[in-house]
């Protein structure tokens, strides 16, 4: 497989590190690799002999499994380290953990961590490729890419689309990667949520802040709900889930102003009936499971491009 | 780069010194002229027109200060020496050595040691260590026991042991009643109250300035108002009680304005800022650079401009470094887990001189900010020159450039965002009580 556009990155830490051409290439490669997952023998030898370590300091089912399946379908050897089994419980620092892993010569480390910027710290200390699988409230670039892929499959073009993202914009790393990615590809991204969950200066990332869900979804091509958490530490962010569901929950009524064929997305896991009504989540316009399917393809493409498969 | 030569205090009294041909700048004495300065024993023995050699002690050590500035010894009224308790970061010895290298003849050290300096034992220990250090040390005691913000520390005992002020620096006094009582009770003992102004309910778990950049980096923000609300509270308390108060490390535009207005209505407030707040904006955080993490955090460019204006117009009285040594154990970690603070003793002079070169302040104002005002605010000797005055002197070469890299850092810790910078203006001679503590001639 020869690409027209050279892919020069060694790590994927932030959506902002990529150019529109990079994103175009990743989606193109993902599209061509997607078919492998539909074969009866779901394996190609592309990354045979490569070692991929999943280093997860936060709980994750979907993302960790998605990366593991992606690596295995490309024939890489994969290993999983989770926070409970890692040495951090014994007081080892992230940098020391990384150096010890490095001593075993992995080709790529997939990191999920509760601290924003942790993948950058790792990349600064390691030779191996580092892929950010979600860091704090910063970014989740592979999720942003799979969202782009999923929308592009249905809509052909990203440019010109109206994307509404509803919910906890302040703490959602998915929202941050999506805002950067969709605006970079020419879409209009509107965000809406309780003002307590709207971060200062989000406009600077390219998003348009809307006061009501109705305003945000007006004529939208894509409506995305984010997972809501009632409290973080001692910060009184929301009075109740009940009130959130009434004013910011997505249901057929609240998104009535969107385009009739507007796509429904959610990065999961869903609080059913709070941020997303089951009628939408399970309805014909829902892409929730297609997002998960495409996650494997996008991660296969990332591993291939970043690890320089033959 | 000229090599640094250090001499600890407590060595035998030095030979007489004659500092020749330097530009002597002493705002207290309204002097700004090329003069020779004669130091005999611990005192300044006289000023002479340049070039005269008659009547000099025969063993006088001759120092050519042509092209250099001869100033009252610089005083850093806000440093952390980490001793007792965190000697792996800094000690009284290593911290005062860094002070001498940076041109400081005296420092005031904050009480957040382990244990906290809330009693005479810790104050006395610091002062005992300082006798063989490289600069005078003025301990600042704690406002509250263990700086927990609950009950007052014993100010009489602290004062008796040698403390010059009280502060819970690093741990804001959240309880307004405690701050009121501290201002009242400190007056009984002639101690200044230094406020680390921060409303902890607003700063919460923040790690950098709140704004678009923090949002982009996914880092929890510390809003400007966390600092401003507390400064307003402390100004209101000080005004109501008619007591003096000193505001530490001012970092925002509105904070400068609050202090300016309080001064205009006669409030006895003084304030300091640090070189990083007039030099760097939040953009220095870059890609999670923990060397740009401190509290208060680096703010916006508009704030930096306002700090510079405050230094120019007299709203801000002093430049203090908030020298906060941390080892790589605290800094080579995730940004949100990293400790707050940067070292500053060795970069303050060149960074302050940049304000002079850029036309923000005059040389005499620089001396007010780094020597005269800190002495006045703390109520300690120094900050001015005069025949018979204690011979605490700093000679700086305003032209000399040097590359600031970790190999030349004198402090035990290397946590500075200015590493790698080419700096202009270097202290070349530091004299404490007639004795040379550091020479880079």
């Amino acid at each position: 497989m020869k690409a027209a556009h050279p892919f020069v990155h060694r790590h994927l830490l932030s959506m902002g590190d990529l150019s529109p051409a990079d994103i175009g290439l990743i989606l193109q490669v993902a599209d061509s690799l997607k078919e492998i997952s539909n074969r009866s023998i779901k394996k190609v030898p592309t990354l045979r002999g490569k070692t991929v370590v999943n280093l997860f300091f936060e709980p994750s089912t979907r993302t960790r499994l998605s990366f593991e399946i992606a690596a295995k379908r490309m024939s890489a050897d994969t290993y999983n380290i989770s926070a409970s089994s890692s040495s951090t419980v014994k007081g080892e620092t992230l940098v020391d953990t990384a150096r010890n892993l490095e001593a075993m010569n992995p080709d790529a480390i997939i990191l999920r961590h509760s601290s924003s910027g942790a993948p950058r710290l790792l990349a600064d200390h390691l030779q191996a490729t580092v892929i950010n699988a979600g860091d704090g409230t910063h970014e989740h670039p592979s999720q942003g890419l799979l969202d782009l892929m999923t929308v592009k499959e249905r809509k052909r073009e990203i440019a010109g689309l109206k994307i509404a993202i509803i919910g906890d914009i302040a703490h959602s790393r998915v929202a941050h990667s999506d805002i950067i990615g969709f605006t970079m590809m020419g879409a209009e991204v509107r965000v809406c949520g309780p003002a307590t969950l709207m971060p200062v200066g989000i406009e600077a990332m390219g998003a348009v802040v809307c006061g009501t869900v109705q305003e945000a979804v007006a004529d939208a091509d894509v409506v995305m709900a984010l997972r809501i958490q009632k409290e973080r530490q001692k910060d009184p962010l929301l009075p109740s889930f009940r009130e959130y569901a009434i004013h910011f929950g997505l249901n057929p009524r609240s998104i009535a102003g969107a385009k009739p064929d507007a796509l429904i997305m959610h990065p999961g896991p869903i609080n059913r009936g709070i941020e997303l009504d089951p009628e939408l989540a399970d309805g014909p316009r829902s892409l929730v499971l297609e997002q998960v399917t495409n996650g494997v393809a996008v991660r296969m493409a990332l591993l291939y491009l970043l690890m320089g498969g033959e | 780069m000229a090599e640094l030569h250090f001499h600890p205090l407590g060595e035998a009294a030095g030979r007489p010194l004659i500092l020749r041909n330097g530009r002597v700048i002493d705002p207290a004495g309204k002097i700004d002229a090329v003069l020779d300065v004669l130091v005999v024993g611990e005192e300044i023995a006289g000023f002479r027109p340049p070039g005269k050699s008659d009547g000099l002690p025969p063993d006088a050590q001759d120092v050519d200060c042509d092209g250099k500035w001869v100033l009252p010894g610089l005083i850093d009224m806000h440093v952390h020496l980490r001793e007792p308790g965190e000697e792996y970061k800094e000690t009284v010895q290593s911290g005062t050595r860094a002070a001498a290298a940076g041109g400081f003849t005296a420092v005031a050290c904050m009480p957040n040691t382990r244990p906290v300096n809330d009693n005479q034992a810790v104050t006395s220990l610091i002062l005992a260590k300082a006798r063989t250090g490289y600069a005078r040390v003025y301990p600042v005691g704690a406002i509250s026991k263990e700086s927990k913000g609950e009950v007052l520390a014993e100010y009489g005992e602290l004062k008796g042991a040698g403390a010059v002020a009280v502060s819970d620096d690093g741990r804001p006094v959240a309880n307004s009643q405690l701050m009121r009582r501290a201002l009242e009770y400190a007056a009984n003992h002639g101690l200044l109250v230094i406020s680390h102004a921060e409303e902890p309910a607003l700063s919460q778990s923040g790690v950098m300035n709140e704004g678009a950049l923090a949002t982009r980096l996914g880092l929890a923000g510390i809003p400007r108002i966390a600092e401003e609300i507390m400064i307003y509270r402390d100004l209101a308390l000080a005004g109501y009680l008619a007591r003096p108060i000193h505001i530490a490390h001012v970092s925002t535009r509105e904070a400068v304005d609050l202090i300016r207005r309080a001064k205009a209505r006669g409030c006895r407030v003084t304030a300091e800022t640090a070189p990083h707040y007039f030099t760097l904006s939040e953009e220095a955080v870059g890609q999670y650079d923990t060397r740009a993490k401190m509290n208060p955090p680096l703010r916006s460019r508009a704030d930096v401009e306002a700090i510079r204006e405050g230094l120019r117009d007299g709203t801000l009285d002093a430049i203090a470094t908030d020298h906060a040594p941390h080892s790589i154990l605290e800094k080579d970690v995730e940004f949100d887990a990293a400790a707050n603070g940067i070292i500053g003793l060795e970069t303050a002079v060149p960074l302050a001189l940049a304000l002079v070169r850029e036309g923000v302040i005059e040389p005499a104002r620089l001396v007010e900010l780094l020597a005269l005002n800190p002495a006045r605010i703390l109520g300690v000797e120094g900050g001015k020159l005069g025949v018979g005055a204690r011979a605490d002197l700093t000679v700086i070469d305003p032209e000399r450039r040097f590359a600031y890299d970790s190999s030349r850092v004198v402090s035990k810790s290397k946590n500075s965002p200015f590493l790698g910078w080419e700096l202009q203006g270097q202290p070349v001679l530091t004299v404490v009580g007639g004795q040379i503590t550091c020479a880079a001639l």
Side-chain angles (χ1 to χ4, degrees), chain A residues 14 16 94-95 113 115-117 120-121 125 137-139 180 199-202 204-205 233, chain B residues 204-205 210-213 215-220 287-288 329 331-337:
Chain A
S14 159
L94 178 62
V95 170
H113 199 284
S115 290
S116 298
R120 168 75 58 177
L121 182 68
H125 284 85
T137 55
H138 176 224
E139 280 207 49
I180 297 169
V200 175
I202 191 73
M205 281 170 70
Q233 291 154 7
Chain B
Q204 282 231 2
S205 52
E210 182 170 283
L213 194 58
T215 295
R216 178 69 189 77
L217 291 169
L219 294 173
Q287 285 296 319
Y288 307 95
L329 295 176
K331 285 293 193 180
D332 202 6
V333 296
E334 299 87 321
F335 193 89
D336 53 8

Side-chain angles (χ1 to χ4, degrees), chain B residues 3-232:
Chain B
E3 221 172 293
L4 304 177
H5 297 278
F6 293 98
H7 308 279
L9 297 172
E11 285 185 354
R15 288 154 59 194
L17 269 176
I18 177 86
L19 307 178
R20 289 193 188 273
N21 282 311
R23 178 178 171 188
V24 177
I25 306 171
D26 175 34
K30 300 209 177 346
I31 299 170
D32 187 346
V34 174
L35 291 168
D36 290 355
V37 181
L38 179 63
V39 173
V40 177
E42 295 182 11
E43 292 177 357
I44 296 172
F47 300 93
R48 310 149 56 98
K52 295 214 170 178
S53 299
D54 55 300
L56 280 182
D59 60 339
Q61 187 180 347
D62 216 303
V63 181
D64 178 17
C65 295
D66 188 33
K68 302 183 175 67
W69 296 359
V70 178
L71 314 175
L74 307 183
I75 300 169
D76 187 344
M77 62 180 301
H78 193 138
V79 304
H80 299 269
L81 295 179
R82 304 297 187 212
E83 190 174 10
E86 293 180 305
E87 291 85 352
Y88 69 99
K89 296 179 178 180
E90 196 80 285
T91 61
V92 174
Q93 182 89 4
S94 68
T96 53
R97 208 170 142 96
F104 290 97
T105 57
V107 297
C109 61
M110 288 295 156
N112 59 339
T113 47
R114 294 180 191 172
V116 169
N117 184 13
D118 60 2
N119 64 78
Q120 61 178 345
V122 176
T123 302
S124 301
L125 173 94
I126 292 167
L127 287 172
K129 297 271 183 185
R131 279 197 284 275
T132 51
Y134 298 83
R136 299 183 196 280
V137 175
Y138 299 113
V140 177
I143 285 176
S144 63
K145 287 199 175 129
E146 297 179 57
S147 286
K148 281 184 172 169
E150 291 162 5
V151 292
L152 293 175
E154 291 172 328
Y155 295 173
E157 175 182 306
L158 285 165
K159 172 82 175 184
V164 297
V166 289
S167 178
D168 275 355
D169 188 56
R171 297 273 300 266
V173 179
N175 182 328
S176 302
Q177 179 73 345
L178 179 73
M179 193 53 140
R180 172 190 176 143
R181 295 307 183 210
L183 286 163
E184 289 169 339
Y185 188 59
N188 281 110
H189 299 284
L191 287 170
L192 174 71
V193 175
I194 300 175
S195 166
H196 166 122
E198 175 188 352
E199 166 53 88
L202 283 169
S203 53
Q204 282 231 2
S205 52
V207 294
M208 74 171 287
N209 187 41
E210 182 170 283
L213 194 58
T215 295
R216 178 69 189 77
L217 291 169
L219 294 173
I222 302 174
R224 295 182 290 106
I225 47 170
E227 176 174 341
E228 293 154 0
I229 283 175
M230 231 27 154
I231 288 180
Y232 184 80

